Amino acid sequence: LGTIERCVKLYSNPGEVVLSPFMGIGSEGYVALKFGRRFIGMELKESYFGVGVKNLKAAVARNKLPDLFDWAEQQMEMETQP
């Protein structure tokens, strides 16, 4: 993943789209999402695609930042605690 990380950082900016026409298990997508890029990937082999989707969902869950509603819910929970 080190080489992919260097390439994503060098050749894209946060918010841009990284395209992988041969996605495999989604390594480029995982790194792209990790560094705040968006990702489009294509894969012909269904088994690789399934693993790639699982890896990308993990990356999204890992990087999920709280939105305004999450913050408000946390504030309400803190106020109701004794």
Side-chain angles (χ1 to χ4, degrees):
L1 290 178
T3 301
I4 297 169
E5 287 182 359
R6 284 193 304 268
C7 289
V8 167
K9 287 180 182 179
L10 277 171
Y11 299 112
S12 67
N13 295 309
E16 291 184 337
V17 176
V18 174
L19 172 67
S20 178
F22 310 104
M23 184 174 87
I25 63 168
S27 300
E28 295 92 349
Y30 186 88
V31 171
L33 295 172
K34 177 180 174 183
F35 291 114
R37 278 68 167 171
R38 294 176 295 154
F39 178 73
I40 297 173
M42 294 160 256
E43 177 55 52
L44 290 175
K45 192 167 183 181
E46 191 174 337
S47 61
Y48 284 3
F49 183 79
V51 173
V53 168
K54 181 180 174 185
N55 290 338
L56 295 173
K57 284 182 179 180
V60 168
R62 179 177 168 244
N63 291 339
K64 185 175 183 322
L65 297 174
D67 57 24
L68 181 60
F69 298 105
D70 293 334
W71 178 83
E73 187 175 297
Q74 290 173 354
Q75 295 300 312
M76 289 175 54
E77 287 175 2
M78 289 181 5
E79 290 175 3
T80 60
Q81 292 178 357

